[in-house]
Amino acid sequence: MPHALTVPGDKSITHRVLMVAALSPGRSKIGGALTALDARSTARVLRQLGAGISPLREGAVVTVKGVSRFSAPRIPLDCGNSGTAARLLLGLLAGHPFGATVTGDRSLRRRPMRRVTDPLAAMGALIAGADSGDRLPLTIQGGNLRPLRYAMPVASAQVKSALLLAGLSGRVPVAVREGVGGTSRDHTERLLAAFGFALPIREGWIDFDPSSGCLEPFSTEIPGDPSSAAFLLAAAMLGRSPRRLRISGVALNPTRTGFLAVIRRMGAVVETEQRGTVLGEPIGDLVLTPGDLQATDIPASEVPGVIDEIPVLAALAARCHGTTTFHQVGELRVKESDRLGLLATNLRGLGVEAVAEGDTLRVTGTRGPLKGLIRTADDHRLAMAFGVLGESPGVDLVVDNPACAGVSFPGFWKALASLEGR
């Protein structure tokens, strides 16, 4: 029998469900919500906007008392470390006739925002802030918005979602088309469709009509996060005693499971067993059988579907036969840290051949002993990725801030230890 585990609720879905519940007049109930710091940041700012949200606690059902329209906040809205919270919140605020300031921690204040603020300004929102509106803190004055037809320069779920939510809150049609990089995750589209909103796709354009549906109170269960599952699947492949692993109740949205194709090419056998759907999201189990690790190539077309898993895929690449190449991954430089640079630097520090040139990362695997200190810059995915690599035989590493894994995966280190029976 495979070792069985579960993972915390999906972070992307938790953000979006909390936001939609906050705008649904009445009382909604959400089970399985992620309780990590990023999700708590979203809940906190929604409370400041007038929604009633019970504490996010492990095992508890979250109750949301929604409002049809938000109220002006009295203090700046602090999104902590969450880029998703900040960018989607800007979209929601664009349709409200008051001013609000959005900010975050030091890491979030370094991340680019113009990709969201420029199209929101084209809709009629007034935005002022650091670096001509490209950095938090930003002050946004929403109100009467204009319809928008916007071709995104690159594929981005956060930009796409922010614009769709601006259309929802401002009650104006929005059409968006994804740019370079293919199709990003579609949680917002699925969630809106579950409330009856029309989002037809015509020649690559997503056309959103906010008059076609209606938000109302709901009850739901958030599925497990496939990005969190990826770290445990990788650990099962790398462990001192590689073993079969089943992870139950995971979101199987095809825009989120691109990493499965990559680890299959790397040698794993992975089966998916769908169990049903919730709010348009397919849910089921992942069952992995480890295999001999082989290098692979990750083309630009795959990157939007694996962007959060690239750190752990790079950790796997460090133990594969051959050189793994990640193409067009420059977006990693503006995540919670310069993930691209830190991945290469930390891998080289351990003794792995790794080069980040432009938007490309190359990692040549080795089965030799590896040792060193991992500098995470407080980035949760770097901490978890190198924690996974530390499970490989012959690897002796120390992660400088293991606690930052709690940003997205409370209990990660306990789950990792269970794979080795520790």
Side-chain angles (χ1 to χ4, degrees):
M1 292 290 291
H3 186 69
L5 287 173
T6 59
V7 291
D10 185 88
K11 184 154 72 81
S12 295
I13 298 175
T14 297
H15 284 303
R16 289 159 171 82
V17 167
L18 285 172
M19 289 179 178
V20 168
L23 276 178
S24 301
R27 194 175 300 273
S28 297
K29 295 184 177 181
I30 304 167
L34 179 67
T35 61
L37 296 177
D38 275 8
R40 291 180 180 178
S41 292
T42 292
R44 180 178 61 248
V45 298
L46 292 172
R47 292 186 192 106
Q48 290 176 247
L49 292 167
I53 304 179
S54 64
L56 275 61
R57 297 193 180 110
E58 194 70 30
V61 173
V62 178
T63 300
V64 179
K65 185 179 180 181
V67 292
S68 297
R69 304 293 285 167
F70 289 148
S71 303
R74 297 180 179 178
I75 60 175
L77 301 168
D78 186 352
C79 295
N81 189 244
S82 179
T84 302
R87 294 187 177 115
L88 271 58
L89 182 64
L90 287 168
L92 285 174
L93 291 172
H96 286 81
F98 54 73
T101 297
V102 179
T103 189
D105 67 11
R106 183 175 61 179
S107 170
L108 185 56
R109 292 195 302 271
R110 292 196 299 264
R111 297 175 68 179
M113 294 290 154
R114 190 175 293 122
R115 58 185 63 180
V116 171
T117 58
D118 279 354
L120 290 178
M123 295 180 76
L126 301 177
I127 302 169
D131 196 12
S132 301
D134 196 33
R135 296 289 187 273
L136 298 179
L138 292 171
T139 297
I140 180 169
Q141 173 67 52
N144 294 323
L145 299 183
R146 297 184 289 270
L148 179 72
R149 186 173 178 85
Y150 184 69
M152 296 161 50
V154 297
S156 169
Q158 292 181 359
V159 175
K160 177 176 60 175
S161 297
L163 299 181
L164 293 173
L165 292 175
L168 177 69
S169 64
R171 298 166 183 163
V172 296
V174 169
V176 294
R177 184 176 66 186
E178 305 226 49
V180 176
T183 302
S184 62
R185 57 188 63 176
D186 63 356
H187 298 304
T188 301
E189 297 97 300
R190 289 173 182 262
L191 181 57
L192 292 173
F195 288 94
F197 291 99
L199 296 100
I201 301 176
R202 303 182 181 95
E203 298 180 349
W205 288 90
I206 302 169
D207 287 308
F208 173 51
D209 177 4
S211 67
S212 59
C214 180
L215 295 182
E216 56 187 17
F218 60 92
S219 295
T220 193
E221 187 79 18
I222 304 294
D225 195 317
S227 296
S228 295
F231 290 90
L232 299 183
L233 295 172
M237 295 168 68
L238 282 176
R240 292 172 175 82
S241 301
R243 61 193 307 179
R244 292 187 71 214
L245 175 64
R246 175 184 291 272
I247 304 181
S248 303
V250 179
L252 298 180
N253 184 317
T255 65
R256 293 292 302 286
T257 54
F259 72 91
L260 296 178
V262 179
I263 65 175
R264 284 173 179 137
R265 296 199 301 270
M266 286 179 161
V269 175
V270 189
E271 301 171 11
T272 59
E273 300 175 359
Q274 186 169 335
R275 306 293 187 190
T277 60
V278 174
L279 292 178
E281 298 284 349
I283 299 171
D285 298 356
L286 297 172
V287 183
L288 175 137
T289 302
D292 190 36
L293 290 170
Q294 302 292 329
T296 189
D297 197 66
I298 294 88
S301 60
E302 279 189 301
V303 169
V306 299
I307 193 68
D308 285 339
E309 294 79 43
I310 288 172
V312 76
L313 294 174
L316 279 173
R319 290 316 229 179
C320 285
H321 294 290
T323 299
T324 297
T325 303
F326 301 83
H327 299 273
Q328 294 297 311
V329 291
E331 178 70 12
L332 292 179
R333 294 195 184 277
V334 291
K335 289 291 188 179
E336 285 84 335
S337 68
D338 175 4
R339 282 183 184 163
L340 185 55
L342 284 171
L343 278 170
T345 299
N346 280 311
L347 287 169
R348 287 197 300 271
L350 293 174
V352 178
E353 184 180 335
V355 179
E357 293 181 334
D359 291 344
T360 302
L361 173 66
R362 294 183 181 86
V363 180
T364 300
T366 175
R367 297 302 173 92
L370 305 175
K371 185 175 182 177
L373 172 68
I374 303 303
R375 302 190 184 281
T376 62
D378 302 327
D379 188 324
H380 56 122
R381 298 203 190 276
L382 290 181
M384 293 189 292
F386 283 98
V388 166
L389 181 56
E391 294 300 299
S392 179
V395 178
D396 180 14
L397 59 79
V398 175
V399 175
D400 66 352
N401 182 13
C404 68
V407 167
S408 62
F409 193 160
F412 168 74
W413 299 103
K414 181 178 180 180
L416 190 63
S418 77
L419 284 171
E420 294 297 327
R422 300 199 304 273

